[in-house]
Amino acid sequence: MKAFDQIKEIVRVLKEQNFEHPEKQAEDIVCHVLKIEKIKLYTQNPDLTSEQAETINSLVKRRLKKEPLQYILEECEFYNIRIKVGQGVLIPRPETEILVEEVIKRKDLIINRGKTILDLCTGSGCIALAIAKNIPQSKVYGIDLSKRAIFYANETKTLNNIRNVSFIVGNLFEPLKKRLFTCITANPPYIKTEEIYTLQSEVKDYEPFEALNGGADGLQFYREILKRAKEYLINDGLIFLELGLGQAETVKDISKSNGFEIITNVKDLAGIERVMILKNRVV
């Protein structure tokens, strides 16, 4: 069978099950198995071996069960970096790139003040890796409780040859000695526990529960992080937090009660206040 014929069949099956963008998903699966770029797919239309066709069909069956395509392909793209992902690690979201962008905008300040960056709840390591790549003078540390997530983060570090980042297994600040950082970033779990069970099946049935669960009100990790962050942040150091829908005002209150100054909130394309930037107010 030719590759194009296989793609047409996958598109037909995906359309029957109302999957979005079936053509792109079919192309991605076939290219992944053949280990070729899309340009070669269209210029060469290669023949499939029986083994390749069998592998493709097995991946399509996984997708029909609503397994995320990123897990099937074993990677995704984030801020122009190939991120390794699989079951047990949260899939990076496009809106998280906003946080990275805001950090990079302030790279001169970070470099001048000490160059050390701490990424809490690092998960796949996407934030830490993107910052490390785009601010090569920095030294970035990513911490996550999940050994599985740290495994994937290190895989991506090696894949992209990013050397100025280190990943550590641990719960928030626990693995750290009393060292100070120029800034702290975090995209913590922020979904209310009861709401996780209402999410689409690709998320609730496959992505790790602990990486989604922000507690009863979704704010558990913001409280824990902001309660202790001053111990690890230089004077006038910055904190960059990703937020969930409708959380900005409450997180602002939590931040102020812990002695932080609100610098700005940054909205995503949907108008949601997605990133909050705080300053360690000198007392």
Side-chain angles (χ1 to χ4, degrees), residues 15-186:
K15 279 185 174 179
E16 286 181 353
Q17 299 299 319
N18 298 314
F19 280 85
E20 294 183 354
H21 313 297
E23 293 83 3
K24 182 180 185 305
Q25 294 196 48
E27 293 169 352
D28 286 343
I29 290 172
V30 172
C31 287
H32 172 71
V33 173
L34 298 185
K35 295 180 172 57
I36 61 173
E37 301 292 332
K38 286 185 182 179
I39 186 66
K40 290 187 177 181
L41 178 67
Y42 284 102
T43 57
Q44 298 176 6
N45 189 21
D47 290 307
L48 302 179
T49 66
S50 57
E51 182 179 359
Q52 288 170 333
E54 184 177 341
T55 301
I56 289 169
N57 287 333
S58 69
L59 298 187
V60 172
K61 288 178 181 178
R62 288 170 60 186
R63 185 65 187 118
L64 290 172
K65 293 179 181 178
K66 300 297 180 69
E67 182 174 351
L69 183 62
Q70 294 92 334
Y71 286 171
I72 294 169
L73 302 179
E74 301 175 344
E75 66 177 42
C76 62
E77 185 172 297
F78 179 87
Y79 216 83
N80 297 319
I81 299 174
R82 290 169 59 199
I83 304 290
K84 299 294 290 184
V85 294
Q87 291 191 16
V89 61
L90 192 73
I91 298 167
R93 268 57 173 183
E95 55 266 27
T96 302
E97 294 187 355
I98 299 171
L99 187 154
V100 173
E101 188 67 35
E102 292 301 317
V103 175
I104 293 172
K105 285 180 183 178
R106 295 161 177 82
K107 65 180 180 180
D108 291 339
L109 174 64
I110 292 170
I111 292 169
N112 292 336
R113 295 299 309 277
K115 306 178 184 178
T116 55
I117 299 169
L118 174 62
D119 182 43
L120 297 173
C121 307
T122 198
S124 67
C126 61
I127 292 174
L129 289 156
I131 292 172
K133 180 179 179 181
N134 287 277
I135 311 180
Q137 306 95 324
S138 66
K139 177 57 181 177
V140 185
Y141 297 85
I143 295 178
D144 200 280
L145 190 59
S146 168
K147 293 180 180 179
R148 187 71 173 160
I150 294 300
F151 167 81
Y152 278 107
N154 279 314
E155 287 281 294
T156 301
K157 172 184 174 179
T158 301
L159 175 66
N160 292 276
N161 193 30
I162 300 173
R163 300 182 179 182
N164 57 321
V165 60
S166 299
F167 293 106
I168 306 167
V169 176
N171 183 22
L172 299 178
F173 299 101
E174 281 183 7
L176 300 173
K177 296 180 181 180
K178 295 295 183 180
R179 66 172 303 166
L180 296 177
F181 294 87
T182 312
C183 75
I184 296 173
T185 63

Side-chain angles (χ1 to χ4, degrees), residues 216-232:
D217 63 357
L219 301 170
Q220 173 186 337
F221 285 89
Y222 298 106
R223 294 189 183 93
E224 293 181 16
I225 290 170
L226 293 169
K227 182 178 180 180
R228 297 192 61 194
K230 274 184 172 289
E231 302 173 37
Y232 299 90

